[in-house]
Amino acid sequence: MAVNRAVPDAEQLMRLRAEVRTFLAGSDYVPGCDSWMRGFDPGFSRGVAGHGWIGMTWPREYGGSEASNVERLVVLEELLRAGAPLGAHLTGDRQIGPAILRFGSEELKGELLPGICRGESVFCLGLSEPEAGSDLAAVRTRAERVDGGWAITGSKIWTTAAHRATHMYVLARTDASGTRHEGLSEFIVDMGAPGIEVRPIEDLTGGHHFNEVFFDDVFVPDSRVLGTIGDGWAQVMAQLAFERGGPERFLSMHLLLTTMLGVLRRHPDRSSTELAGELAARLVGLRRLALDVARALDRGEAPGPAASELKLLGSEFESDVVEAARYVLEVGDADAEERRVLEEATGAVPASSIRGGSSQIMRTVVSRMEAGR
């Protein structure tokens, strides 16, 4: 991937931000909390793609715009603030595309990246497994060598949008003779392949975006191996840096935050205003951290501890937004729509401290990275 990208000046970035807001004003969708995870609208995603805002930092030969990561941050921040439905494209845009660019063959890049950029290919992640918790190395799904490719058998859990995805990124064990972190490999699997079964998992609110996925000798051709067989652990660690360092980690509950501020304008009180001021100050800090991550990527650097710190601090921030809003909306006599937003956020926020690495795991990751500096 290109490095040392030129970043537009402040005026150009403001024009880009205004362009996204104009697009949103003309789009038909229902704003929601956690909409990048729960909101799924292929038509909306194709509209985003039509403006060149999916894969926008990627090379033009694969459908990208070769924009800077700071520009991508501006676009994504506006979409998230608006509670727009991003579930049909964000996984492919955020981490699978960059992983294919870094580790994929030219054949794989040419085959898959343009479809992501057009908003046509929908990716889900086959990482977590039953009984493994947050232990990503506890992979029991196996891939065995067969003529022309690999046969995958096993299961994955908490797989968002698997029932709607066209492709799944799968981490599987190809060699069990070494340590837990050895013998892992990455594959791109067609979700329409024979031998795949998707079972829904409903969340606390009765919603369905999680799934459990079972593989029964699912054939994957050699051309769909991502990177090098056996190097899966190092590759997935690089991929997770893209997953953890984005603004979705602290803007999932932005609709609730703005709802809370609206209630405060009608029913101000000192304690509630102090709560809102504290959250606003933390939001400024998180946005600066996200900007630091984007600038590091534009310099061709790995985001390092900053991405993991953003994920950890963002999860804590979102939980505190919900707790503050529960108090403010009760004191402020919220209307039915405001209570709906609070209910939606309350049902969604428990997942924020788990997905992408639990907060306990992230504290360990951050401490080890800091110690290794």
Side-chain angles (χ1 to χ4, degrees):
M1 298 178 69
V3 297
N4 294 319
R5 295 185 186 275
V7 179
D9 59 30
E11 184 177 343
Q12 292 171 310
L13 291 174
M14 285 301 296
R15 285 200 297 268
L16 176 60
R17 197 177 292 275
E19 183 181 351
V20 181
R21 291 178 180 178
T22 298
F23 164 75
L24 288 165
S27 299
D28 183 18
Y29 68 94
V30 178
C33 292
D34 209 33
S35 58
W36 64 272
M37 177 73 74
R38 297 161 185 268
F40 192 95
D41 186 339
F44 182 87
S45 290
R46 287 192 294 270
V48 174
H51 284 78
W53 294 333
I54 300 178
M56 58 190 297
T57 65
W58 306 351
R60 289 188 175 88
E61 62 186 296
Y62 303 123
S65 305
E66 298 184 5
S68 68
N69 284 279
V70 171
E71 289 170 282
R72 180 182 180 274
L73 174 63
V74 165
V75 170
L76 185 53
E77 190 175 55
E78 288 301 316
L79 295 173
L80 291 165
R81 287 178 65 248
L86 310 183
H89 72 265
L90 186 59
T91 297
D93 174 61
R94 177 183 66 186
Q95 62 199 102
I96 300 303
I100 292 172
L101 278 169
R102 184 168 182 178
F103 301 112
S105 65
E106 284 303 314
E107 179 183 358
L108 203 60
K109 293 174 187 177
E111 179 185 358
L112 296 177
L113 295 179
I116 297 175
C117 290
R118 292 191 299 266
E120 298 171 356
S121 298
V122 179
F123 274 83
C124 60
L125 296 174
L127 291 173
S128 300
E129 298 201 358
E131 302 178 14
S134 294
D135 186 1
L136 187 56
V139 174
R140 294 185 294 183
T141 295
R142 66 183 188 276
E144 297 180 346
R145 201 73 171 92
V146 296
D147 186 27
W150 300 81
I152 297 180
T153 300
S155 62
K156 298 292 181 177
I157 200 169
W158 312 122
T159 308
T160 300
H163 58 307
R164 292 163 161 165
T166 59
H167 302 81
M168 178 189 279
Y169 158 91
V170 175
L171 183 67
R173 192 166 296 282
T174 49
D175 184 354
S177 64
T179 67
R180 296 185 331 130
H181 298 93
E182 296 174 336
L184 296 172
S185 304
E186 297 177 306
F187 302 86
I188 303 298
V189 179
D190 284 330
M191 289 301 290
I196 295 179
E197 179 186 0
V198 180
R199 299 179 187 173
I201 299 174
E202 292 188 356
D203 64 15
L204 290 171
T205 66
H208 170 211
H209 62 283
F210 287 135
N211 301 272
E212 190 168 10
V213 183
F214 297 85
F215 304 89
D216 184 8
D217 283 332
V218 176
F219 177 72
V220 182
D222 283 323
S223 61
R224 289 297 183 88
V225 172
L226 180 58
T228 303
I229 292 294
D231 285 351
W233 183 257
Q235 292 176 192
V236 77
M237 289 298 102
Q239 180 234 109
L240 286 174
F242 290 99
E243 179 180 358
R244 291 168 174 166
E248 66 272 16
R249 295 304 174 184
F250 58 87
L251 290 176
S252 297
M253 303 297 152
H254 194 78
L255 179 62
L256 178 61
L257 182 61
T258 56
T259 297
M260 179 175 66
L261 293 177
V263 173
L264 271 176
R265 292 187 187 99
R266 299 198 312 265
H267 305 281
D269 74 87
R270 181 173 180 177
S271 59
S272 297
T273 302
E274 289 174 352
L275 274 175
E278 178 186 343
L279 291 172
R282 290 168 65 183
L283 179 58
V284 170
L286 289 165
R287 291 184 66 200
R288 177 54 191 263
L289 189 55
L291 181 59
D292 288 344
V293 170
R295 286 172 171 167
L297 291 171
D298 281 333
R299 292 192 299 269
E301 302 171 2
S308 297
E309 290 167 358
L310 183 63
K311 196 280 172 187
L312 174 61
L313 296 174
S315 297
E316 294 176 346
F317 171 76
E318 292 192 336
S319 178
D320 290 345
V321 167
V322 173
E323 287 302 310
R326 289 172 63 186
Y327 171 77
V328 172
L329 268 64
E330 180 178 351
V331 171
D333 190 25
D335 62 28
E337 174 60 17
E338 291 163 340
R339 291 187 179 279
R340 181 198 68 79
V341 173
L342 175 60
E343 181 177 326
E344 183 178 72
T346 301
V349 76
S352 66
S353 64
I354 301 172
R355 62 193 179 200
S358 69
S359 293
Q360 293 87 345
I361 294 295
M362 296 315 301
R363 289 188 179 92
T364 301
V365 170
V366 169
S367 63
R368 288 177 175 175
M369 284 183 172
E370 293 288 354
R373 278 186 169 178

